[in-house]
Amino acid sequence: MPRWPTSLRSRLTLWYTILLGVPLIVFAVASYLVFARTLQQRTDRFIGDALTAFARELTAERRAALTLAEAMRSTVEEVRFREIQIAILDQEGRTIAMTAPPRGDRSGTRPPYRVLTQSLTVDGERFSLTGTYSLSDMEAMLARIREMFLVAIPLLVLSSAVGGSFLAKRSLAPVASMGEQAAKITASNLDQRLPVGGGDELVGLAGVVNDLLDRLERSFAQQRRFVADASHELRTPAAILRTEADITLSREHRDEAEYRASVTTMQDAARRLTRIVDDLFLLARADSGNPVEQREALYLEDLVHDAVRAMSSVAERREVRFELSGLVEAPFHGDPDLLGRLFLNLLDNAIKFSPRGGTVAVAMTRRDGHCEIAVADAGPGIPPDARERVFERFFRVDATRSRAENSATSGAGLGLAIARRIAEMHAGRLELAESRPGRTEFRLTLPVD
Ligand code: ATP
Ligand code: MG
């Protein structure tokens, strides 16, 4: 059984040919049949008319002639049709008289005939008249039409197939070139785009694919920058670790204080390394779209309390005071570790950028289905052009300030990026509500029931 072609071009060609060929064939066959039938009806009418005329003539001759036989003879001789032979038969079917055979009918083989019979009563006797008409002319004409159709229809179908194939090739050419171009695009030449053209639908398709490439290119660039930034951040503590070990081991017999100092430096570097790696791991988990979250029922005010307590010794050392207000009961469903991390990052920044003796205000408000938690400090503020960028990964206004001692975070510039991701993972928002010299406020909004 012939299989439906898999190539789109062959399918289009086939459809085109079928849609043109089938109506053509149906039309040809139908008009041929109608034509043949009309010809036959005309022939029958013609024979009928001839027989009626003959009968009328015979009746007229009978009045003039002495006998019926004489009347028949003279009628047969006088009445002559070019294409019809008329015979008079008696009741037993024997031929009594017959006109001369039509001229031109000299073919040796017996051509097809059309024979019609009419009854006739003369002098009270019944006869039958038969008219015999040769169909050879009609047959020849129909045969010619059939031949013409047999040649013309395949030719037309063939030309429609060729035309269809050409059209299909032409309209599919842009798709082929789009495919070719798309096959050439890899991670290293993501800036290339598909050719746009070839009709509205294809322009639309190329546009959609090009938009997709835009997004891919952006996210690739982001990813590359992220990897570059991450390795840059990891390099410093790794280098400190190595050089510190090298230096310490380069001389034998150091006293304990020296070793202690050196190991402490290495401990700091190792701690920083661990924090950066932990941060990166957390972000990678969030980016994978499938963060391993431990959702459970909790109270947000408890988490705020815990974070403040955890940061209180750091705050004390920097002579920063916490001021808590409006801690209301706020039941929530979420990951306590991640949310704790969010508060810790906000508090860490607030303490880090607070002036000595400053106050960090933590305020909680509940209003129509939302819980807002604001963390404000009295620090220098964030310059206007950096206000959105502080949420970007590895962005720091001033890298040296960022790495405060006693900080709970790595100082790599990941704190706010992580905090915002955690808020989003809990269907919430983290925004910089206000920032000017003397007051910077970050506001977290979470949906509570
Ligand atoms: P990390 O949090 O990874 O230890 P970081 O604190 O520098 O490092 P983010 O918490 O993401 O990184 O903050 C990014 C930058 O935004 C900071 O480097 C700082 O320049 C600015 N910033 C954040 N919070 C404050 C604030 N409360 N006052 C002034 N500047 C701030
Ligand atoms: Mg921070």
Side-chain angles (χ1 to χ4, degrees), residues 131-417:
T132 308
Y133 181 84
S134 162
L135 294 178
S136 59
D137 279 357
M138 196 179 105
E139 278 301 317
M141 181 153 68
L142 289 178
R144 228 174 304 133
I145 292 176
R146 278 197 305 271
E147 273 162 26
M148 199 182 76
F149 277 176
L150 278 180
V151 175
I153 289 177
L155 268 179
L156 280 171
V157 169
L158 187 73
S159 67
S160 79
V162 171
S165 168
F166 172 75
L167 272 183
K169 186 182 176 181
R170 254 193 70 139
S171 34
L172 290 176
V175 177
S177 79
M178 265 162 72
E180 253 170 50
Q181 180 65 19
K184 284 192 215 140
I185 298 178
T186 63
S188 54
N189 60 351
L190 260 182
D191 56 325
Q192 294 198 10
R193 293 291 173 268
L194 298 190
V196 177
D200 286 349
E201 293 85 352
L202 294 181
V203 167
L205 177 63
V208 169
V209 175
N210 284 341
D211 286 349
L212 170 74
L213 286 172
D214 281 346
R215 290 197 298 277
L216 267 180
E217 191 188 4
R218 267 201 303 277
S219 101
F220 252 73
Q222 228 169 39
Q223 212 59 33
R224 267 195 212 115
R225 208 166 33 206
F226 182 65
V227 171
D229 289 342
S231 30
H232 181 77
E233 279 307 315
L234 291 169
R235 230 149 98 187
T236 323
I240 293 174
L241 258 183
R242 214 196 53 230
T243 31
E244 194 60 36
D246 286 351
I247 292 169
T248 313
L249 293 175
S250 65
R251 219 179 63 207
E252 285 170 33
H253 311 300
R254 288 175 189 273
D255 56 26
E256 199 195 322
E258 266 186 292
Y259 277 125
R260 276 205 157 274
S262 161
V263 172
T264 310
T265 311
M266 294 195 327
Q267 189 187 34
D268 281 350
R271 198 175 283 149
R272 205 164 139 222
L273 262 181
T274 317
R275 280 183 186 147
I276 297 176
V277 171
D278 284 350
D279 285 356
L280 291 176
F281 183 63
L282 205 157
L283 280 172
R285 234 174 59 184
D287 283 350
S288 73
N290 183 23
V292 197
E293 277 175 81
Q294 310 273 311
R295 297 234 170 202
E296 54 186 72
L298 47 85
Y299 289 95
L300 288 175
E301 75 278 10
D302 285 352
L303 293 181
V304 172
H305 245 301
D306 291 349
V308 167
R309 201 172 315 127
M311 293 301 288
S312 61
S313 63
V314 180
E316 239 165 65
R317 248 169 283 162
R318 294 195 39 107
E319 294 167 31
V320 171
R321 238 167 26 85
F322 279 121
E323 197 181 271
L324 297 172
S325 61
L327 285 196
V328 285
E329 199 171 86
F332 188 70
H333 220 81
D335 183 326
D337 288 342
L338 290 180
L339 289 167
R341 182 64 186 282
L342 193 170
F343 297 134
L344 220 67
N345 285 357
L346 289 182
L347 294 180
D348 181 77
N349 284 351
I351 297 168
K352 196 157 60 178
F353 295 100
S354 272
R356 266 184 192 280
T359 306
V360 170
V362 181
M364 236 177 119
T365 4
R366 274 197 68 167
R367 65 163 75 103
D368 38 73
H370 289 282
C371 178
E372 280 181 9
I373 297 165
V375 177
D377 63 66
I382 298 169
D385 57 331
R387 283 188 192 150
E388 239 338 277
R389 298 199 62 199
V390 291
F391 294 101
E392 285 175 16
R393 294 167 186 193
F394 296 108
F395 177 82
R396 286 165 301 198
V397 176
D398 175 2
T400 43
R401 270 226 62 170
S402 213
R403 269 195 294 279
E405 41 194 305
N406 304 318
S407 167
T409 60
S410 67
L414 292 172
L416 287 176

